[in-house]
Amino acid sequence: MRRDELEGAVRETLSHQVAVARPLSADPAGQAIRRAKRIRRRRTGAGLALAAVATVLVSTGMAQLVDDPGRQGTPIVVIGDPNPSGRPIPSATASVAAPAPGTSVDVLAGATLISVSGGRLELPGVGPAERAHLLPSGGGWLVVGAPTTAGRSLWVAQRDGLVQVLLAGAGSIVVAPDGRQVAWRDGTGLLVAGVVGTQLIGPVRTPMPTNAEPVRFVGDSVLVRLNPDDAGHILWRPGVGQLTAGTDRSTLNVYGALPDGRLVGQVSTGDPARTCLAMLDPKRGLKPVLTGCGPELSPDGAGGISADGRWLLVNGSVGKASGSLLVDLQRLGPDVTAVPAGPPVTGEIAWTTASDATYVDGAGNVVRVNVDRVRSGKLADPTPVPGVQPGDRPVLVTGS
């Protein structure tokens, strides 16, 4: 069928569906066709599959991502591309009256994105946020909402100030380190989808145990904690079989991956009051291959590894000193040592270089840790973020 014939058929179908007593003041078929043309022009040959998904989403306004008869509560939805011709474009030029926030990464406080230079961009409708991640294209951010009685939300915020809801009413939501994938719990299932522009595409689903939750991405796999009250994790690779419980019953928390693929985590021991650090082999069911005990690690799971795999910043205590600890992973062994680094970590840790890390403490202040200073005995000092309103707890923007 030629394009003019297709357009004529669409117009005729819509005209038959609407009973009118007088001519329409607007041409809905023309609007639909013009919108489809705009979307088609933005898609390339490599994105034909995505274009088909987007066309369906735009024509309906929103689409339920999955149909799970066992799911209860508010449905999870994916919002389609908006029509930019009918909305004002918010200004992306933010106020720069406030000084720089004293951090090498952007900060999201409430609905305000504060850049390293001190520039501010309002993101209406976002928040309160639990995490924020830069989109792979650099054109915006993925924002994971704090848990509510209705579940969590996932927003995509663009640099022009436009905010769209990608997920609503979800369980735990995790974003891949490169920002290209998202995993979340939906009722009795675990889903993983790709992030392309402002869309979630190609969702893959697997059933999961009642209390299990996704906790992080490890490469293309999702690390799942089987029960928040017990030790035990499993790696699930989307599209390669279903999620099935493995043999790991000792891993309490995982802090990240080393360059060689091994994971670093907190494991339980025969002593219920004592936990240890361990390097875990993901190819052998997260079996510990090297263990180091010494510092008392916090059960909250907060921690992060430098990109070169040398340093671990983790919550815990040494003697009477409690807070964040710096651990040299190259010296992980029977008697691992840790150096106090600063106040306890809340949220994500952003390692901006091999020797510099940034995080937010419990008071909402930004803490910058330099490895050399900490090793010389100088604790990191928290710095307030200028202009943050009371109750707006800042979160770091990772992935930048």
Side-chain angles (χ1 to χ4, degrees):
M1 180 180 291
R2 297 196 309 272
R3 181 176 299 175
D4 57 345
E5 293 177 334
L6 176 61
E7 293 179 0
V10 172
R11 292 179 187 275
E12 182 178 359
T13 299
L14 291 179
S15 66
H16 289 167
Q17 291 178 350
V18 181
V20 294
R22 56 184 175 80
L24 291 173
S25 59
D27 180 4
Q31 291 176 355
I33 292 170
R34 287 192 293 275
R35 184 180 300 178
K37 286 181 178 179
R38 282 195 298 270
I39 293 173
R40 186 168 57 247
R41 286 195 297 269
R42 296 203 308 265
R43 300 299 193 259
T44 63
L48 289 178
L50 174 59
V53 174
T55 301
V56 173
L57 291 175
V58 173
S59 65
T60 60
M62 65 176 65
Q64 187 167 336
L65 187 60
V66 291
D67 183 12
D68 177 12
R71 189 182 184 282
Q72 299 178 353
T74 305
I76 291 177
V77 297
V78 177
I79 306 300
D81 285 348
N83 178 6
S85 64
R87 65 172 175 86
I89 302 296
S91 173
T93 303
S95 169
V96 293
T103 175
S104 54
V105 296
D106 297 341
V107 174
L108 179 64
T112 303
L113 196 287
I114 308 172
S115 69
V116 174
S117 64
R120 293 167 182 264
L121 176 65
E122 294 299 322
L123 304 175
V126 166
E130 186 177 64
R131 294 187 305 280
H133 199 289
L134 188 70
L135 284 172
S137 63
W141 306 269
L142 288 171
V143 181
V144 178
T148 67
T149 54
R152 284 180 171 86
S153 297
L154 176 68
W155 297 278
V156 59
Q158 298 172 252
R159 289 192 181 274
D160 65 0
L162 177 67
V163 175
Q164 298 168 254
V165 179
L166 293 184
L167 297 173
S172 295
I173 301 174
V174 294
V175 179
D178 61 5
R180 299 183 184 278
Q181 295 185 88
V182 174
W184 70 97
R185 176 164 189 140
D186 174 26
T188 60
L190 170 65
L191 288 98
V192 176
V195 180
V196 176
T198 59
Q199 299 284 340
L200 297 181
I201 66 168
V204 179
R205 180 187 180 93
T206 185
M208 67 188 309
T210 302
N211 295 320
E213 295 285 358
V215 293
R216 67 168 61 240
F217 275 86
V218 178
D220 291 329
S221 299
V222 181
L223 182 71
V224 177
R225 184 161 187 170
L226 300 176
N227 191 316
D229 297 324
D230 296 317
H233 289 71
I234 187 172
L235 283 169
W236 175 62
R237 188 176 180 87
V240 185
Q242 293 189 345
L243 175 69
T244 55
T247 58
D248 172 44
R249 294 296 181 271
S250 65
T251 304
L252 294 165
N253 294 292
V254 175
Y255 304 118
L258 300 174
D260 63 6
R262 290 178 299 170
L263 307 181
V264 177
Q266 177 188 17
V267 296
S268 59
T269 65
D271 183 354
R274 189 186 190 198
T275 63
C276 299
L277 281 173
M279 292 186 181
L280 313 169
D281 187 348
K283 298 180 180 179
R284 300 166 62 189
L286 302 179
K287 181 179 180 179
V289 293
L290 180 62
T291 304
C293 303
E296 183 178 340
L297 302 176
S298 171
D300 61 14
I305 301 172
S306 60
D308 62 359
R310 172 73 184 274
W311 304 103
L312 168 67
L313 197 61
V314 62
N315 282 346
S317 60
V318 177
K320 296 182 179 181
S322 179
S324 62
L325 306 176
L326 183 68
V327 179
D328 185 350
L329 294 177
Q330 287 188 354
R331 298 187 177 184
L332 185 64
D335 297 310
V336 64
T337 58
V339 180
V345 175
T346 62
E348 300 291 311
I349 297 174
W351 281 91
T352 54
T353 70
S355 59
D356 292 280
T358 303
Y359 64 89
V360 176
D361 68 7
N365 298 315
V366 171
V367 182
R368 300 182 65 179
V369 174
N370 176 267
V371 169
D372 293 335
R373 286 178 55 85
V374 167
R375 296 181 69 194
S376 67
K378 299 177 182 178
L379 295 179
D381 294 322
T383 303
V385 179
V388 173
Q389 300 299 316
D392 289 343
R393 179 176 295 277
V395 296
L396 299 183
V397 178
T398 57
S400 56

